Amino acid sequence: MQAAPLSGGFANTATQSAHAFRSVMEAMARPGTIQDIEGASPPAPLSPAAGAVLLTLCDTETPVYLAGEMDCDAVRSWLSFHTGAPFVGPAQCMFAVGIWDALGPLSIYPIGTSEYPDRSTTLIVDSAGLSASGAKLKGPGIKDYAALFLPELEAFQANNLLFPLGLDFIFTKGSELAALPRSTQISRLDSKAGAQVGAS
Amino acid sequence: MYVAVKGGERAIENAHAWLAEERRGDKGVAELGVAQIREQLALSVNRVMAEGSLYDPDLAALAIKQARGDLIEAIFLIRAYRTTLPRFGASEPVDTGAMACDRRISATFKDLPGGQVLGPTFDYTHRLLDFKLAADGEVAEAPSREAAAGDVPHVTDFLNREGLIEQAPHDDTPPPDLTREPLEMPADRALRLQALTRADEGFTLGLAYSTQRGYGRNHAFVGELRIGSVPVEMDIPELGFAVEVGEVTLTECETVNQFTGSKTEPPQFTRGYGLVFGQTERKAISMALVDRALRWEELGEDNVGAPAQDAEFVLYHADNIQATGFLEHIKLPHYVDFQSELELVRKLRREAGVDQVAEAAE
Amino acid sequence: MSNYNFAYLDEQTKRMIRRAILKGLAIPGYQVPFASREMPMPYGWGTGGVQVSAAVLTPEDTFKVIDQGADDTTNAVSIRTFFERTAGVETTTATCDATVIQTRHRIPEEALQEGQILVYQVPIPEPLRFLEPRESETRKMHSLEEYGLMHVKLYEDISRHGHIATSYAYPVKVEGRYVMDPSPIPKFDNPKLGDMAAIQLFGAGREQRIYALPPYTQVVSLDFEDHPFEASKADHPCGMCGATDSYLDELIVDDAGGRMFVCSDTDYCEARQAAGHKGKDAA
Ligand SMILES: [Zn+2]
């Protein structure tokens, strides 16, 4: 078992992280779209998609908060070995990773300052239900409307009201991801509109 | 009929070939070796290391050769190379008190422990061209003596013992890193000093000079100027202790500045500080004066609106690689924005009736 | 160049730039500070754009570089060669074939598509800089959404000249929040900024800022009700391809002051000529 932390990283860092980043960027630029992301085989409970996001974006300069079950030896040593990211509490983190129920409440994370709204946490919500259904999204990156399953509405609506401050979210499951930046306005998807919404 | 101009790629290749030929110069003259530059143009090498922020005399000498002696171009080559180097860690702070000094002078005390050591200085040379050098640069060996044993104490420590100079307490806060984080205002002193140590020598000199002429005057005495080598140590986590990884030559200048007190501080001497790679004393002294001028706020002094007091002005314009790049970029094509200005000026002139006047006069 | 990493930059630098790009996309129009690195070309010559391109390129991309709309200007050639050597990517001059386009001072005439990324080289990212030189002040103005100074400046133009005397780098407001500098594109290009299908990324190397416009973002050129924004260009057709809808370069063709106007977008002009369109000066 000693070898486990050493494996499961990107075999070819430069090209695999380039591809992984494009998936994350497309997701963040086009909220509601579901993107493939590959290359990482992290230990459970971290999904391959969440693992790839962390490998792509984290290093010694990015404090990470492991929420709930994510805060285990397997994940800690794997992330340490592959990224060198320091582990911190939610109030200091640049990235937080965990399942939705373990991550809350959102008020514990930095949302940036009015002069530096970028100094905020990006939350990686793992084991998310990724599908183009549930919530109706509108805003930058979205032509007309998009749809995305969200674990709840109110928290994300409240986050959007903080704009330009606020948190950004990456939802991961298996080898797929979607993203929800703070700029997206969220409402309940009425069943009729659902039929017309595609992944624009 | 018009045929569009093409061949940018060929033009660039040809320009590079010509540049290489010009760099070599007359082939009847022996080629300059990198070791010759390193040994005989050492002060150029030092400046390139200091402003390039990379301590490597051989690479600096190579850069000077490649840049045809244009030091800013050489600094640019070093900076661009430096950013590609992996970062293994940070050294321990160097102890300049343990410096093996080649030169150590104080303008504030006639004699002091450690003594006044002139070292290899131009200071008292008469600036007469030495025509002998044109033919033959061989020199006799300079007289030498054993270096005195033990550390050479800092002059400011003597003043500190009497409580006459501001305290400079030990501080273990990790300094910000200008090369890894974007410059942000307000900049604390550690960040300002980082920017100044790699700042353009000419710019720093001009600013320091302006403070002497009254634009933020701060009455500086050179408390001490020392040049010499210090060991560089790095903590090796696997070993659990620090090991010496090399040695660098540094120039350190501490100014002692008259200060009559302010709303927040008692009358005492204050400090300006300069520390630069290599033997670079003009730069180190300039740095200390500018450092002191920038400290007006923390010392409760008045902002008299002098350029050297304005941290944002100084730090955003001190880097010669940023400055020269942006200055020179106006050579690049600006057809598109110029065309939009052309259309605008024509429109404004048409509406002002200027063009009719010009045509009537023809 | 094999001593260097894919696309030149080391992975840690790319991660730092990638994080800044994501923040930029999440806060459209806001300038994200980033620790710009020294590049092997001078500041002011596209180091911001080059760093952003290096952070987004994959080996499978097809890359296009334009300067002043043209693929064959010397600096465009130089940057294209840099990425051919360091990233081994395919390059093209055809706008429609490119997945990543780095540009200085123009937006291609042909509408960009989903799946494409437009990377701008930006000299001065701060739209308020010429009104207020201090970064500490302009940052405050953005935080307070205090853009009165900009409106005053534009209005002074109108009272002095009867027009807004800004013809390029014309400021825009993004999603009703941040005033943004679109880089020194002619204001003719401003209407293309909004609702674009492609991702737009802006990189300012020397000034250490990255900002972004996600696709389909609302971008409005600043104006006044009685003086609405107007995208203008030289009132001529292209001498080579006859296009009447493209931005034109003015060329001086003889000593007698003879002039001709040609599309600044070389790919657009060549494609039209290849399709049989002919202007009055074409051979
Ligand atoms: Zn044309």
Side-chain angles (χ1 to χ4, degrees), chain A residues 10-176:
Chain A
F10 286 144
N12 182 335
T13 308
T15 51
Q16 283 182 304
S17 61
H19 285 128
F21 173 67
R22 282 287 276 277
S23 298
V24 179
M25 181 174 83
E26 284 290 332
M28 194 61 85
R30 301 174 198 278
T33 63
I34 294 167
Q35 311 281 335
D36 292 328
I37 186 166
E38 291 169 349
S41 313
L46 205 53
S47 72
V53 171
L54 291 164
L55 292 184
T56 303
L57 298 175
C58 295
D59 51 38
T60 52
E61 295 174 1
T62 57
V64 171
Y65 169 60
L66 300 174
E69 305 279 298
M70 284 297 170
D71 193 3
C72 60
D73 282 345
V75 171
R76 272 182 174 254
S77 39
W78 186 80
L79 259 189
S80 284
F81 179 78
H82 292 285
T83 70
F87 299 111
V88 296
Q92 292 86 39
C93 71
M94 208 181 276
F95 291 92
V97 56
I99 60 165
W100 176 250
D101 290 336
L103 284 164
L106 297 186
S107 57
I108 56 180
Y109 299 101
I111 55 167
T113 66
S114 64
E115 295 198 357
Y116 295 96
D118 55 306
R119 294 181 182 174
S120 56
T121 300
T122 299
L123 280 79
I124 300 163
V125 184
D126 207 2
S127 308
L130 287 179
S131 67
S133 64
K136 181 172 162 186
L137 315 183
K138 188 177 173 325
I142 301 166
K143 189 178 187 181
D144 307 323
Y145 296 98
L148 184 67
F149 174 82
L150 294 176
E152 62 170 283
L153 289 191
E154 295 73 19
F156 298 102
Q157 287 170 329
N159 183 59
N160 170 247
L161 291 177
L162 299 170
F163 187 88
L165 309 192
L167 308 170
D168 307 311
F169 300 88
I170 297 172
F171 301 98
T172 51
K173 185 181 192 176
S175 59
E176 290 183 327

Side-chain angles (χ1 to χ4, degrees), chain C residues 26-264:
Chain C
I27 318 167
Y30 166 74
Q31 302 164 51
V32 185
F34 84 111
S36 174
R37 301 291 197 249
E38 271 109 354
M39 297 299 287
M41 62 268 296
Y43 285 121
W45 299 55
T47 56
V50 166
Q51 289 181 79
V52 169
S53 291
V56 302
L57 277 174
T58 68
E60 291 73 27
D61 274 307
T62 305
F63 191 49
K64 170 180 164 85
V65 187
I66 49 173
D67 188 338
Q68 315 299 297
D71 297 275
D72 56 1
T73 39
T74 42
N75 205 42
V77 170
S78 167
I79 291 170
R80 187 165 59 238
T81 313
F82 177 74
F83 280 108
E84 282 169 354
R85 283 163 63 185
T86 59
V89 288
E90 287 288 317
T91 57
T92 184
T93 58
T95 300
C96 57
D97 294 339
T99 51
V100 179
I101 302 173
Q102 182 169 329
T103 181
R104 176 168 171 262
H105 295 192
R106 276 310 312 275
I107 297 176
E109 304 294 353
E110 194 180 331
L112 299 184
Q113 306 301 322
E114 293 199 359
Q116 290 186 302
I117 300 167
L118 184 59
V119 177
Y120 294 77
Q121 299 172 205
V122 182
I124 303 276
E126 178 49 70
L128 306 167
R129 183 62 68 236
F130 300 107
L131 308 171
E132 169 53 62
R134 275 165 206 286
E135 169 66 17
S136 44
E137 290 300 317
T138 52
R139 188 157 284 276
K140 230 174 276 163
M141 292 176 186
H142 284 295
S143 80
L144 301 170
E145 222 176 327
E146 197 185 283
Y147 296 123
L149 203 57
M150 181 65 91
H151 284 100
V152 168
K153 191 262 169 199
L154 296 177
Y155 211 84
E156 276 174 1
D157 278 2
I158 292 171
S159 58
R160 197 171 306 150
H161 312 292
H163 302 279
I164 292 174
T166 299
S167 59
Y168 63 92
Y170 190 103
V172 295
K173 197 162 199 184
V174 179
E175 290 283 331
R177 178 58 181 82
Y178 285 102
V179 167
M180 185 191 99
D181 182 306
S183 88
I185 56 172
K187 68 177 184 175
F188 173 81
D189 282 340
N190 271 31
K192 301 176 200 163
L193 291 159
D195 261 333
M196 188 189 280
I199 296 173
Q200 299 174 77
L201 304 175
F202 298 78
R206 189 180 38 79
E207 298 281 337
Q208 307 190 306
R209 297 290 183 273
I210 283 172
Y211 51 106
L213 296 173
Y216 312 114
T217 294
Q218 187 205 86
V219 179
V220 179
S221 300
L222 298 184
D223 63 357
F224 300 93
E225 243 169 59
D226 48 342
H227 285 275
F229 172 82
E230 199 187 326
S232 61
K233 68 175 201 74
D235 192 15
H236 299 271
C238 169
M240 300 300 284
C241 77
T244 54
D245 58 353
S246 65
Y247 193 75
L248 302 169
D249 281 343
E250 179 173 332
L251 312 176
I252 298 170
V253 290
D254 57 42
D255 289 347
R259 292 182 287 162
M260 72 176 277
F261 293 87
V262 184
C263 295
S264 101

Side-chain angles (χ1 to χ4, degrees), chain B residues 130-196:
Chain B
D130 181 356
F131 292 100
K132 276 205 311 253
L133 278 183
D136 171 18
E138 290 312 313
V139 293
E141 206 166 306
S144 63
R145 66 166 165 83
E146 274 299 299
D151 290 356
V152 181
H154 280 105
V155 167
T156 46
D157 293 344
F158 302 122
L159 290 168
N160 203 14
R161 239 170 269 166
E162 270 188 82
L164 293 176
I165 192 161
E166 62 167 312
Q167 296 290 315
H170 186 83
D171 185 353
D172 273 331
T173 317
D177 185 340
L178 187 66
T179 67
R180 310 296 289 183
E181 296 149 36
L183 181 60
E184 192 187 305
M185 295 294 151
D188 67 14
R189 192 176 179 205
L191 191 60
R192 297 195 304 251
L193 289 170
Q194 273 174 49
L196 288 175

Side-chain angles (χ1 to χ4, degrees), chain B residues 205-276:
Chain B
L205 170 65
L207 281 172
Y209 177 49
S210 74
T211 69
Q212 291 182 293
R213 291 196 64 259
Y215 290 85
R217 182 142 194 252
N218 53 47
H219 312 273
F221 299 98
V222 172
E224 180 168 344
L225 177 77
R226 58 171 67 192
I227 302 173
S229 58
V230 292
V232 178
E233 294 183 341
M234 204 172 133
D235 222 19
I236 308 294
E238 287 79 5
L239 299 179
F241 54 86
V243 297
E244 188 176 324
V245 293
E247 212 179 60
V248 294
T249 297
L250 296 174
T251 302
E252 182 185 54
C253 176
E254 284 190 284
T255 56
V256 175
N257 302 67
Q258 189 200 89
F259 182 63
T260 53
S262 68
K263 274 163 262 155
T264 57
E265 302 296 318
Q268 60 185 331
F269 291 107
T270 56
R271 302 164 187 257
Y273 189 70
L275 185 70
V276 187

